Amino acid sequence: MIQFGSRRCIESQRLLPRRILSIVRRPGLRLLAGRTSRSVIRLRAVSKEYDHRKILRSLDLHVDGGEFVFLTGPSGAGKTTLLRLLYAAEKPSSGEVWVAGRRVDELSRSRLPLLRRKIGVIFQDFKLLKRKTVLENITFVLRIHGVAPREALRRASQVLKRLGLQHRQSALPDALSGGEQQRVAIARALAYQPRLILADEPTGNLDADLASELLSLLCDINYQGATVVVATHDHALLESIPARTLVLHDGQIHFDGMWPP
Amino acid sequence: MIRHAIAEGLLLLRQRGAVSVILAFVLAVPISLAGVGFSLYRWLSPMASLSGQTSTVAVLLHPRLDGDQRLRWIAEETDAHPEWRITEISSDDLTQRLQRWFPYLDELIADGDASLPPLIEIATTKPETVAVLEDRGEVLAVGPHSSFQQSLGRVAQRLAWAMTALSSILLTGALLLAAVWVHVELYRHGDEITIMRLVGATEGTIRGPFLVAVAVPGLAAGLLSVVATKMTTTGLSQLTSALGLAVVTTPEGVLVLQMVAGLLMPLGAAVFTLIRHAALGLDG
């Protein structure tokens, strides 16, 4: 079911330790980087409460650069909250959240954009700009990342073509189906080649073929060195490739290991 | 970033073109009226200053008062009313003055034993206070103690104050209007702003287009208000000239201020609303 890209993903997961693969690919960067830069995500005793209801309970987590991680668990387990903490849409009630070597929960508002430019987020509710076309949604993000207009257009067209959306590039988001909107959101997250990709239920609106194509794409990006964290409760997706899987239940990690074993 | 802000700002303007034009007009009206109000205030100011001028009230004393009694009376009144400046007019001086109006005065005085009553003049900024002398036994008559100039000045002063108050109210109204307009426009785009923040846009990148989108109609409002003020004051000047009064002019500084107000009021409101939006941490 999984095509070429995902096979590379499996190879990279099984045959070569991720960190070694990253060092081989970007030796200068890796050798210069300190310990914190190796761990792209680090959570220390993180708790999150809403109205005295504990969503996350003293969570500890460590994700190395270049890892591919599935985050799963029943609805309300805290998957989305965990991701929101990582891209600093929320602050933890207690504990420390480190992303790309920076303590996110203590970042000033002016520093947040710099962090978020390193993260590509695929939102569950897409969060597309409704007044902009598909192409503009992507070029807009590339432009705020400092990409020149012509280059932004080229890269946006490229990523849309890859996601099979080139024929819909002039459409407004409201004119797209749920699956198409999902793919635009994915295209936007991938267009600026972030070091960390956080995907919240990315296959929720996709059929099986598109879901496997998306997974293939994420594996490909992971192969190129990016860290990928996918929150999902899609069992087919979890079974499709062996990857580090975190099972969240009642705000705590109940399982952390390779799945399928 | 500036090019991006301009491009995105113009896009926002195109999307809300009709509303922006209407709001530019609506914003221009109070600013323009404030300008006209200030021009009228300036026009009325010389007249208003008349209200503080000194007036002289003539008071005829009883002819039976001799020189000592008059002096004593004058001294008592000066002590009682320090703001009065009392001058006794000599009988020669009085005769001379009266002869201008009554050429047969000499003959009249020569024919009988008529003598002119002693006259004093009271110079004061409050001529109405001299009316208290009307009831005194020593006083034969008190001259007109209501100055036309002062009355005119007081009316002009009140009008000038009313114009200032009206201008202030209008400017406050314009500021509130700009604030509400910008507030509504920004909250209409609240989701977009949130998404922009989530994908790594800096506050400058987010604010730029909105500032451009409010600066353009603000500038238009400023220009419109200048044109409207000029037209109104020209019309008023034609009217005052026809009545033989001074023309109404608007200082260039006021016109520049109108432009600045048109531009800064919506910009200020936009900056305030955007900062508030950011402070609320509306990150989806």
Side-chain angles (χ1 to χ4, degrees):
Chain A
M1 191 165 74
I2 304 300
Q3 301 304 307
F4 180 66
S6 62
R7 243 186 263 121
R8 283 193 298 184
C9 186
I10 294 163
E11 280 169 14
S12 65
Q13 293 280 341
R14 279 185 169 167
L15 305 177
L16 282 171
R18 223 19 303 149
R19 206 176 304 159
I20 293 171
L21 206 68
S22 301
I23 292 166
V24 170
R25 239 178 261 126
R26 288 181 286 183
L29 193 72
R30 287 290 159 186
L31 287 170
L32 284 170
R35 193 172 180 277
T36 49
S37 71
R38 284 203 304 273
S39 62
V40 169
I41 296 169
R42 194 148 49 111
L43 269 67
R44 275 190 194 155
V46 169
S47 296
K48 180 69 187 174
E49 284 180 31
Y50 291 114
D51 300 328
H52 306 295
R53 200 169 68 89
K54 288 210 165 189
I55 306 297
L56 298 176
R57 294 163 193 269
S58 195
L59 215 68
D60 289 302
L61 179 64
H62 188 100
V63 176
D64 274 342
E67 272 195 282
F68 192 106
V69 180
F70 279 124
L71 188 62
T72 190
S75 294
K79 303 188 290 292
T80 300
T81 304
L82 179 55
L83 292 186
R84 284 173 66 81
L85 290 175
L86 295 177
Y87 61 80
E90 305 263 1
K91 287 195 174 193
S93 304
S94 62
E96 295 174 14
V97 180
W98 294 77
V99 175
R102 287 178 184 278
R103 188 162 170 191
V104 172
D105 54 296
E106 284 188 344
L107 270 185
S108 66
R109 190 155 277 279
S110 60
R111 294 257 172 201
L112 273 182
L114 299 173
L115 171 86
R116 285 174 177 165
R117 285 176 196 183
K118 291 175 184 168
I119 308 171
V121 187
I122 302 166
F123 299 98
Q124 196 172 9
D125 56 351
F126 321 132
K127 293 205 187 299
L128 298 175
L129 298 168
K130 294 208 179 333
R131 290 183 185 85
K132 290 191 184 293
T133 64
V134 166
L135 188 68
E136 285 167 349
N137 258 283
I138 297 160
T139 52
F140 177 78
V141 175
L142 287 167
R143 293 284 292 115
I144 62 173
H145 281 74
V147 179
R150 199 169 286 180
E151 174 63 9
L153 206 64
R154 191 189 66 76
R155 273 160 68 170
S157 301
Q158 205 174 33
V159 74
L160 283 175
K161 192 175 174 187
R162 193 164 182 193
L163 284 156
L165 282 168
Q166 71 273 34
H167 65 291
R168 303 291 274 152
Q169 64 177 22
S170 303
L172 290 170
D174 283 344
L176 303 177
S177 68
E180 285 173 326
Q181 287 189 41
Q182 182 87 292
R183 280 185 283 158
V184 177
I186 293 162
R188 183 182 61 186
L190 304 183
Y192 54 91
Q193 295 157 353
R195 285 169 57 186
L196 170 64
I197 291 176
L198 305 174
D200 194 2
E201 302 287 358
T203 56
N205 291 286
L206 303 182
D207 58 32
D209 286 343
L210 282 172
S212 63
E213 175 58 30
L214 168 66
L215 192 59
S216 156
L217 200 67
L218 290 175
C219 280
D220 222 14
I221 289 156
N222 171 242
Y223 184 82
Q224 286 162 27
T227 309
V228 179
V229 178
V230 180
T232 183
H233 57 248
D234 181 351
H235 285 283
L237 197 69
L238 292 170
E239 297 289 339
S240 58
I241 57 163
R244 183 180 170 190
T245 303
L246 304 168
V247 180
L248 267 180
H249 186 72
D250 202 19
Q252 286 180 313
I253 295 174
H254 275 235
F255 175 82
D256 181 359
M258 289 296 284
W259 187 267
Chain B
M1 199 170 89
I2 292 168
R3 274 171 60 189
H4 170 262
I6 292 170
E8 288 291 323
L10 293 178
L11 193 70
L12 282 171
L13 271 177
R14 270 207 298 276
Q15 286 167 353
R16 300 280 286 165
V19 175
S20 300
V21 170
I22 291 166
L23 281 160
F25 272 102
V26 172
L27 198 60
V29 171
I31 297 174
S32 167
L33 285 174
V36 172
F38 186 76
S39 305
L40 284 174
Y41 169 79
R42 268 176 54 93
W43 183 73
L44 290 165
S45 287
M47 276 186 262
S49 67
L50 294 175
S51 65
Q53 278 192 343
T54 303
S55 296
T56 304
V57 181
V59 177
L60 281 176
L61 298 180
H62 207 284
R64 266 179 272 168
L65 285 177
D66 61 26
D68 288 343
Q69 285 173 317
R70 279 204 306 275
L71 286 174
R72 205 164 43 248
W73 183 86
I74 288 169
E76 281 170 12
E77 290 303 325
T78 305
D79 286 346
H81 304 280
E83 72 278 12
W84 290 358
R85 196 158 43 81
I86 303 175
T87 316
E88 190 178 4
I89 308 297
S90 67
S91 60
D92 288 347
D93 198 6
L94 179 61
T95 310
Q96 213 171 21
R97 285 192 201 180
L98 284 172
Q99 273 172 340
R100 286 184 209 153
W101 306 99
F102 194 63
Y104 307 107
L105 187 73
D106 282 343
E107 291 166 35
L108 205 81
I109 295 170
D111 284 352
D113 61 350
S115 60
L116 292 171
L119 176 76
I120 57 162
E121 282 180 343
I122 300 175
T124 175
T125 53
K126 294 173 183 167
E128 66 278 4
T129 58
V130 182
V132 296
L133 298 180
E134 283 171 349
D135 301 332
R136 305 278 171 84
E138 296 90 342
V139 174
L140 199 65
V142 177
H145 47 75
S146 167
S147 161
F148 170 73
Q149 281 188 333
Q150 283 207 332
S151 302
L152 182 72
R154 271 196 293 275
V155 170
Q157 199 169 46
R158 279 171 197 160
L159 266 174
W161 285 339
M163 284 298 158
T164 311
L166 186 69
S167 301
S168 307
I169 290 166
L170 288 169
L171 277 176
T172 310
L175 182 64
L176 281 173
L177 180 78
V180 170
W181 163 39
V182 170
H183 191 78
V184 169
E185 280 296 300
L186 287 178
Y187 272 81
R188 251 173 48 84
H189 292 88
D191 287 347
E192 280 179 40
I193 294 172
T194 301
I195 294 168
M196 285 182 207
R197 284 205 183 101
L198 287 174
V199 296
T202 57
E203 286 304 312
T205 311
I206 293 166
R207 285 172 197 178
F210 290 103
L211 295 183
V212 170
V214 297
V216 173
L219 203 64
L223 271 170
L224 278 169
S225 75
V226 166
V227 172
T229 303
K230 274 300 230 184
M231 283 172 68
T232 311
T233 49
T234 305
L236 284 171
S237 289
Q238 283 171 355
L239 195 71
T240 54
S241 297
L243 293 169
L245 297 168
V247 293
V248 181
T249 55
T250 309
E252 281 177 11
V254 171
L255 298 177
V256 172
L257 273 177
Q258 282 183 229
M259 285 288 296
V260 172
L263 184 65
L264 286 189
M265 282 198 288
L267 269 182
V271 170
F272 174 76
T273 311
L274 281 163
I275 289 172
R276 200 163 156 263
H277 190 275
L280 286 173
L282 304 175
D283 276 358

